[in-house]
Every structure is written in structure tokens, then in C-alpha cells.
């Protein structure tokens, strides 16, 4: 069968360090933390891979954040990002070095080129994972992700092919913290791509003005209970210096942009404080926020399920409670 391999020939957990303009995407450090755990569990090394022009500082940071070795492919051809050169270079390294597990952020970039590595190497790729584990008996990667439109969770394992690849949703793991005393190896690898791999051209890079809610320390979310009036939610978020988020109901009603949806089919957030206003607490919503440090729920129905997951519950009308909280916070701030 094409791509069938001797799995014993494959070792190490690889994490792709995504960068733009020399700055690493946060999901890369999240994957490095999870990758460290998986590598330790499997008794393998954690290897990071950085591609770009002048990216040595990221290789050093990857070691501080847990990598044993960092493979650096440095060349102007990797700037700006294009799927052709990234996919081809990554494919070459996989075929040359035989990693056991490869983790890539489920960002626009990661989703764009992961398939270009998986298809030619016959790897097993599970996209958009929200959990990763190691199967105790076999040491196989257990890649978990929502399936059937979010109605069920699937656990996918790749038994016969290598590497075991996964793209992982940003925000589901805590980022690895740097330890300046950590030591590791930086290896410059041969760059095997040239202009012939640039089958597309970057004409312009437009960065949207939507703030990434996954980075916010405070998130104030509104649901169907807002009846389309997000004013009190926005005011409370502004008073707390936080971001506004929403349920799928609110997004589907067109009350707020889809980039702010939290939940199984939206973003995963883990802020210090999550305030849910007029949100019932459906399982699909909870999945995107129930790892928040402190959850406050404001709901006029004392039996709303959100109260089961909240640290603090306020039973009442959000149109009275949100403005009262906002006023109190502003008063305290003077
Ligand atoms: P409701 O369930 O209608 O709750 C509104 C709440 O507001 C009620 O509890 C009510 O008591 C309260 N309320 C009303 N008026 C007031 C008031 N004045 N003051 C205070 N409280 C008030 N949902 C998501 O959020 N994210 C997802 O990613 C997501 N993915 C899904 C994927 C699938 C496959 C499916 C089937 C569903 C998904 N959903 C998702 C939808 C989810 O099941 C719920 O329907 C949705 O989360 C409910 O949104 P809500 O809490 O805003 O609305």
C-alpha cells in the first residue's frame, strides 16, 4: 500500500513555529507546551521547526519554551508566507528526518499548508483538533475533534502511517513559558525550495481590524437574551478593558460578527474573567469557555444551566445588572 512505513523508523514530536514578520503566532507556544507533554510521555524529543528570513531569535525562544532541538530553514524565499515553499520544505524535512508526530497550529497559515505535507508523505492528518493525548498501550497519538457539525467528538488515531499529524485550534492549550536556563540545539537545515515552488504571488497582505478574542484577559459575552442590544455588554467590556464575545444564536441573528463567536464551532477562550450575559449555557457554548478562570453568569432564569458552570451567578435582567456593574466599576476607578 502506498505510504505504508515501518513505524519504528519514526521518532520525535515536531511543532511548527508559525511566524509573521519575525513574530511567533501564540498557537506555536501553546503547541510547544502540549508537544513537551506528549514527547515526555512517549520518551521522545521535542523538535521545533522555524521557517523564515532572520528567525534565529525564534529558535532561541523555542528552546527556552521547551524544545530540545530547533530546525531552522532560513531563506528570503520564506518571506512572506506562501504555501508552496512552506509545504515543499516541510515535506522534504519529514521525508529526510521521519518525525513520529507533527503538530501545526490550526490558523489560516497552518490549515493552508498542512495538507501539502500530509498528502505527499501519506501522513495521517487530523484537522482542527481540540484535544491531544497518547494512547497508553500503543503510544499512538489520540487526536480529538468535534465531528458531525459539532454533535459528537471523534478520537482519531493513525495506526499504519507516519507522521501522525494534527492541526490544533488556537487557544485550547496554555502557552509554554520561557525558561532562559534551558538548553537545546539549533540546527540549520538545507533549504530545498526555489522560485519554481512559488506558484502563487502575494500581492497585498491585509490584516483585519478584528481583535483576537482568544488573547483577552476579560471577555464579556452576550447571548440571545440581549435581544440584539449589545450596548450594555459592550459598555461592561469597555469598563473592564475586555473584549466582547457572543453565542452562536447572537451571531446567527446578525447582531455581532462571527469572529467573536465562542464555542464548539467558534473560538476557544480562557480569560481570567468571563461574564456571560443572557446566555443559557448550552454544551456547545460551554465547550469554548468553561476553562476560563472565573465565570460570572447574568441570567433572569434561575434554572438556566449556565449557573451550574459559573463561579458567581446573578439572577436578574442583564439590562439592569450590566449597567449597574459598569457604573460601579467606573466609580471605583474614579
Ligand atoms: P438561548 O439558549 O436562547 O439563551 C438565552 C438566555 O438568555 C436564556 O437562558 C434566558 O433566560 C436569558 N435571558 C433572556 N432575557 C434575558 C435578560 N433580559 N436578562 C438576562 N437573561 C436573559 N452555540 C454557541 O454559543 N457557540 C457555538 O460554537 C455553537 N456551536 C454549535 C454547534 C452545533 C452543532 C449545534 C447543534 C449548536 C451549536 N451552538 C453553539 C448553539 C447552542 O446549542 C445554543 O443554541 C446556543 O449557545 C444558545 O445561545 P444563547 O444562550 O445565546 O441563547
Amino acid at each position: 500500500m502506498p505510504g505504508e512505513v515501518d513505524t519504528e523508523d519514526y521518532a520525535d514530536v515536531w511543532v511548527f513555529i508559525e511566524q509573521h514578520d519575525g513574530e511567533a503566532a501564540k498557537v506555536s507556544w501553546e503547541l510547544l507546551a502540549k508537544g513537551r507533554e506528549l514527547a515526555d510521555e512517549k520518551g521522545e524529543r521535542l523538535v521545533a521547526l522555524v521557517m523564515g528570513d532572520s528567525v534565529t531569535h525564534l529558535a532561541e525562544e523555542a528552546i527556552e519554551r521547551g524544545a530540545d532541538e530547533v530546525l531552522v530553514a532560513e531563506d528570503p524565499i520564506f518571506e512572506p508566507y506562501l504555501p508552496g515553499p512552506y509545504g515543499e520544505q516541510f515535506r522534504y524535512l519529514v521525508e529526510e528526518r521521519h518525525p513520529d508526530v507533527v503538530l501545526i497550529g490550526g490558523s489560516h497559515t497552518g490549515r493552508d499548508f498542512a495538507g501539502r505535507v500530509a498528502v505527499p508523505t501519506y501522513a495521517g492528518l487530523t484537522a482542527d483538533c481540540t484535544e491531544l493525548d497518547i494512547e497508553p498501550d500503543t503510544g499512538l497519538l489520540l487526536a480529538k475533534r468535534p465531528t458531525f457539525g459539532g454533535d459528537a467528538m471523534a478520537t482519531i488515531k493513525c495506526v499504519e502511517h507516519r507522521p501522525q499529524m494534527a492541526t490544533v485550534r488556537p487557544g485550547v492549550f496554555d502557552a509554554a513559558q520561557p525558561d532562559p536556563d534551558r538548553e537545546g540545539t539549533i540546527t540549520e537545515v538545507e533549504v530545498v525550495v526555489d522560485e519554481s515552488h512559488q506558484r502563487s504571488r502575494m500581492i497585498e497582505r491585509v490584516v483585519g481590524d478584528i481583535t483576537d478574542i482568544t488573547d483577552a484577559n476579560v471577555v464579556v459575552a452576550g447571548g440571545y437574551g440581549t435581544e440584539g442590544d449589545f450596548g450594555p455588554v459592550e459598555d461592561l467590556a469597555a469598563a473592564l478593558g475586555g473584549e466582547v464575545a457572543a453565542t452562536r444564536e447572537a451571531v446567527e441573528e446578525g447582531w455581532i460578527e462571527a469572529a467573536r463567536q465562542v464555542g464548539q464551532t467558534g473560538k476557544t477562550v480562557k480569560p481570567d474573567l468571563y461574564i456571560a450575559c443572557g446566555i443559557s449555557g448550552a454544551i456547545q457554548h460551554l465547550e469554548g469557555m468553561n476553562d476560563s478562570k472565573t465565570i460570572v453568569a447574568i441570567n433572569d432564569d434561575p434554572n438556566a444551566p449556565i449557573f451550574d458552570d459559573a463561579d458567581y451567578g446573578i439572577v436578574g435582567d442583564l439590562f439592569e445588572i450590566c449597567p449597574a456593574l459598569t457604573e460601579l466599576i467606573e466609580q471605583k476607578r474614579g
Side-chain angles (χ1 to χ4, degrees):
M1 202 177 154
E4 225 170 289
V5 293
D6 181 355
T7 55
E8 298 294 316
D9 285 349
Y10 289 72
D12 295 342
V13 175
W14 281 21
V15 170
F16 171 63
I17 307 297
E18 177 182 336
Q19 60 85 27
H20 298 279
D21 299 325
E23 199 173 315
K26 194 170 157 240
V27 66
S28 309
W29 305 141
E30 293 165 6
L31 291 187
L32 218 47
K34 190 65 189 178
R36 183 72 266 167
E37 259 178 60
L38 300 179
D40 289 344
E41 221 168 313
K42 286 178 72 68
E44 293 184 349
R45 293 178 327 135
L46 178 63
V47 178
L49 168 58
V50 193
M51 294 188 231
D53 193 16
S54 311
V55 285
T56 316
H57 63 289
L58 294 177
E60 286 159 1
E61 190 170 351
I63 287 173
E64 289 183 6
R65 290 183 189 258
D68 298 311
E69 181 181 9
V70 186
L71 305 177
V72 181
E74 217 166 17
D75 194 283
I77 198 151
F78 297 120
E79 297 291 350
Y81 162 79
L82 283 176
Y86 270 62
E88 178 59 15
Q89 180 70 37
F90 210 131
R91 178 205 62 76
Y92 162 74
L93 291 170
V94 163
E95 287 181 351
E96 187 199 41
R97 292 172 185 253
H98 292 187
D100 180 15
V101 171
V102 172
L103 307 178
I104 297 173
S107 60
H108 293 298
T109 301
R111 287 168 193 226
D112 194 35
F113 83 87
R116 286 172 182 261
V117 184
V119 171
T121 59
Y122 294 94
L125 169 61
T126 309
D128 206 22
C129 298
T130 52
E131 268 178 73
L132 298 172
D133 281 312
I134 299 295
E135 192 172 52
D137 302 348
T138 60
L140 288 170
L141 179 72
L142 299 177
K144 301 185 186 180
R145 53 153 298 156
T147 189
F148 295 121
D151 283 344
M153 287 297 284
T155 300
I156 296 166
K157 60 184 179 183
C158 172
V159 180
E160 284 167 7
H161 293 252
R162 292 290 180 278
Q164 307 169 78
M165 284 182 74
T167 59
V168 181
R169 219 192 251 204
V172 295
F173 303 123
D174 289 328
Q177 294 308 310
D179 169 1
D181 296 331
R182 273 202 94 253
E183 287 183 3
T185 318
I186 296 178
T187 308
E188 297 264 351
V189 298
E190 186 192 351
V191 173
V192 295
V193 296
D194 56 33
E195 282 75 23
S196 67
H197 298 102
Q198 285 175 317
R199 300 215 178 104
S200 50
R201 229 168 9 107
M202 175 84 78
I203 295 167
E204 191 186 0
R205 184 158 176 241
V206 181
V207 181
D209 59 2
I210 299 166
T211 314
D212 185 2
I213 59 167
T214 60
D215 273 348
N217 286 330
V218 176
V219 173
V220 185
Y224 199 67
T226 62
E227 295 173 10
D229 180 0
F230 263 67
V233 171
E234 284 164 359
D235 291 346
L236 183 54
L240 290 163
E243 282 296 332
V244 173
T247 61
R248 188 164 91 167
E249 295 292 318
V251 169
E252 282 183 347
E253 290 292 333
W255 298 338
I256 190 155
E257 69 259 68
R260 294 187 186 269
Q261 182 184 318
V262 167
Q264 202 173 79
T265 44
K267 302 261 167 68
T268 302
V269 295
K270 279 195 275 181
D272 292 336
L273 175 62
Y274 189 93
I275 307 183
C277 312
I279 292 176
S280 58
I283 181 76
Q284 295 90 350
H285 185 76
L286 294 174
E287 202 162 288
M289 45 62 80
N290 61 4
D291 281 338
S292 303
K293 268 198 193 132
T294 302
I295 299 172
V296 177
I298 303 168
N299 197 304
D300 63 3
D301 174 4
N303 298 315
I306 188 79
F307 288 127
D308 296 339
D309 285 75
D311 300 291
Y312 300 95
I314 305 174
V315 178
D317 183 353
L318 74 92
F319 292 100
E320 289 170 18
I321 291 164
C322 288
L325 283 176
T326 304
E327 202 183 320
L328 207 68
I329 292 158
E330 282 170 353
Q331 271 173 14
K332 290 250 182 225
R333 290 238 167 99

